[in-house]
Amino acid sequence: MRRAAWGLAAVVARELRARTGAITGRRVGLLVGSGDNGGDALWAGAFLRRRGVAVDAVLLSPDRAHPAGLAALRAAGGRIVPRLGEPDLVLDGIVGISGHGPLRPAAAEHVAGIGAPIIAVDLPSGVDPGSGAVQGPAVRAALTVTFGARKPVHALAGESCGDIEVVDIGLELLSPSLAELTDAEVAARWPVPGPRDHKYTLGVTGVVAGSARYRGAAVLAAGGAISSKSGMVRCFGGAAGAVVERYPEALVADDLPDPGSGSSPRVDGWVAGPGMGTSEQARSWLEAVLQRDAPTVVDADGLTLLAADPSLLRGRQAPLVLTPHDGELARLTGEPVGDDRIAAAAGASRRYGATVLLKGHATIIASPGSAPMVVRARSSWAATPGTGDILAGMTGALLSAGLPAREAAAMAAHAHARAARIAAGGGPADGGPISASQLLAAVPAAIRALRSTQ
Ligand SMILES: NC(=O)C1=CN([C@@H]2O[C@H](COP(=O)(O)OP(=O)(O)OC[C@H]3O[C@@H](n4cnc5c(N)ncnc54)[C@H](OP(=O)(O)O)[C@@H]3O)[C@@H](O)[C@H]2O)[C@@H](O)CC1
Ligand SMILES: Nc1ncnc2c1ncn2[C@@H]1O[C@H](COP(=O)(O)OP(=O)(O)O)[C@@H](O)[C@H]1O
């Protein structure tokens, strides 16, 4: 605990200097709960006293405050107070990762009275450690300091956690229960043509998308596939004309050829659903795609059709990726997504025997038999119509290149989020509004940026 608290105190001292220009003479308030999390805050307070910081602590359960931490703070000249005055920074040591439920009323009252930035110890108290859900009063931190490794809550509740800082405590940690690819890992797996490659060797992507009503969805899905890698893209459906107008490189047809006809063109991975509607025609196209022995992404209207008739998957063996938003996941499972998005995605994954990519600010990827993965968007500018159609195309392009379903989904979401940030012109100020077309135009730049990390 002392090693963790030492690291925590070092971060607090750094933040004090960055935010106020000094350490000595500044004021730090501690909100201290009954567990080890409170102990970390108390010990950190004791270390900060040695650097000339005035430290006041509110004990939310005075009888159960960590005895050694409390003794150390008192010995170092820290004060126990009924309320925090006007500190420069506050440490939230109310509850740690064994906490549950929103802040209790007394803690909530103290938190509501704080005007200073809050540094959360391990996680912002009141946020559910497993799901990241905020179901009542909770701390909203400027910075969260955690120990040893990030935990799922840090990805799932990014807005409550603020920036995340991991303090090394020299322990051999178990592998995280929620995996996340780094930029370099995505870049290393991205399909890149070599000297012996040609237009067929990186995989042909088939896109069944669009209708008279949703012409744009076909253009965006095809564009997502075309922009993600070299290799051929074939588009089928009621908006094929719109696709080829925008992308002369796409091979298009109004109908899906019968696989038994002999004239069926080669396709190594499919995308089915964006904008294709839920007509009888759309259903029969989805059925035809799902009967083929090639990896497939089902998105949008394809998910609605699948939810209405799961027997469309009968006999299917080839890899399948489903890319629902919350509404579509609810259709697939028959119940609302709820607060535990990992459990919801994992449940659908088991039910359909598929990799499920549940879209959102934290996108969850659940695959049968594997640890769930998360992709953090780090910006919310992608929340605009048509961006999901692009993601479906990108995922299909990676599947057709031969990547396993779970990796293809996580890599596509990772590059998609990067493209959104590039298009928004981010930086510390987070940029400004984008349309789906602008996100699509930034996909090659996102891949270049990822590859430059290698
Ligand atoms: N330019 C084009 O051509 C474009 C064409 N597009 C195409 O349009 C077709 C319809 O797609 P769609 O997703 O808009 O409608 P649909 O599946 O009926 O569900 C919508 C309902 O679900 C719910 N909902 C809950 N959570 C949600 C969430 N996180 N994100 C979104 N919705 C959420 C919400 O209900 P609520 O919870 O508000 O009651 C909402 O009313 C599809 O083929 C798509 O490809 C679009 O891509 C846009 C660009
Ligand atoms: N608040 C948000 N923050 C970050 N990304 C978001 C947010 N809301 C949606 N997205 C992303 O935008 C895309 C929206 O997809 P979707 O809902 O299918 O839209 P559409 O059907 O209009 O294409 C997904 O990639 C999703 O992860």
Side-chain angles (χ1 to χ4, degrees), residues 299 325 328 359-361 363 377 379-380 382-389 391 416:
D299 183 43
H325 57 52
E328 289 157 344
K359 292 182 269 200
H361 189 77
T363 288
S379 133
S380 295
T384 186
T387 51
D389 304 327
L391 177 67
H416 182 271

Side-chain angles (χ1 to χ4, degrees), residues 214-217 273-276 300-301 325-328 331 385-386 389:
Y214 299 124
R215 287 156 57 86
M276 80 179 183
D301 296 326
H325 57 52
D326 284 24
E328 289 157 344
R331 258 169 252 165
D389 304 327

